[in-house]
Amino acid sequence: MNAEDAVAQAVHAQELEGWRPDGDARAALTAFATGALGRGGYIAAAVAAARALDPSEQRPRLLRRYRPYYVRGTTVLRNGIGLANPVALAEAEHRVCAARLVEIHLRTVAPDVPLVTSIHQHLFGDVYPWAGQQRIVDLRKGDARFLPVPRLATRMAALEDAVAAVCHTDFIAATAAVVADLVAVHPFREGNGRTATTLLTVLARRAGLPFDLRCVDRTAWMGASRAAMAAADGNHRVPAEPFVPVVERVAGVWQSETS
């Protein structure tokens, strides 16, 4: 993959999670991908650009209880890049994560095993001190409740085993199953969606398949996630079927139409 394609793939992964990069963000990412800008310089520029977007700090407010992932007294996620404004932090997170994705696409780095944990650590390690660590709080999004913390370790071990077993044979079904399970488990405090899309592309490449994340838009990705979670059983097991067309499109293998 060349630098232009790597940037396009990385940007689209962030767009699936709501990022709307401007021309300067794309130009900086291209400079990083081509080697014109080093990682340290890129990250410093990304943080500066994010801070300029909204330089104010979130005004501290009293909280009734300690919330482990937040800067004390605020609703800003604890981070290692010195940002105390949620708008600025979100922008910096997208920019930095995009650069880390470019590295994966250009094969300048390769996620290690266990793969899911390694991907999250690589994508978010520059921003969050807890990157790659399983969450310690229960999470929900709307009506969807993700796997409770006491069951995370066992379920994640099984998920990593399933990821390791994915191969070219029956790739669509196996990959749809692990992506759906990752969405249901939601093992990290932040960044689960980008971890899932990165896992999908890494598995496709490992299986020797072409892949293009741009074949899936935000509507399709979020729709698959919602459909899977809506069908979750009492053990937080979800069906793989909503993600089958997503995997097919990304990997360019249209099994469901020919079966």
Side-chain angles (χ1 to χ4, degrees), residues 216-235:
V216 175
D217 61 17
R218 178 171 168 82
T219 299
W221 176 256
M222 299 304 293
S225 298
R226 285 192 293 267
M229 290 303 300
D233 64 17
N235 293 316

Side-chain angles (χ1 to χ4, degrees), residues 115-135:
L115 191 56
V116 175
T117 299
S118 177
I119 286 173
H120 190 270
Q121 169 62 42
H122 178 75
L123 295 182
F124 299 100
D126 296 310
V127 179
Y128 299 122
W130 36 264
Q133 300 174 15
Q134 293 175 21
R135 58 181 165 84

Side-chain angles (χ1 to χ4, degrees), residues 73 149-150:
V149 169

Side-chain angles (χ1 to χ4, degrees), residues 66-86 89 93 124-131 133-137 189-190:
Y66 171 64
R67 302 176 72 181
Y69 286 103
Y70 292 93
V71 176
R72 187 175 294 276
T74 77
T75 54
V76 179
L77 286 172
R78 184 163 42 90
N79 62 89
I81 52 178
L83 294 177
N85 177 281
L89 178 58
E93 178 198 291
F124 299 100
D126 296 310
V127 179
Y128 299 122
W130 36 264
Q133 300 174 15
Q134 293 175 21
R135 58 181 165 84
I136 58 173
V137 296
R189 174 57 185 81
E190 180 73 12

Side-chain angles (χ1 to χ4, degrees), residues 23-38:
D24 289 341
R26 292 176 184 270
L29 191 59
T30 298
F32 174 75
T34 58
L37 186 61

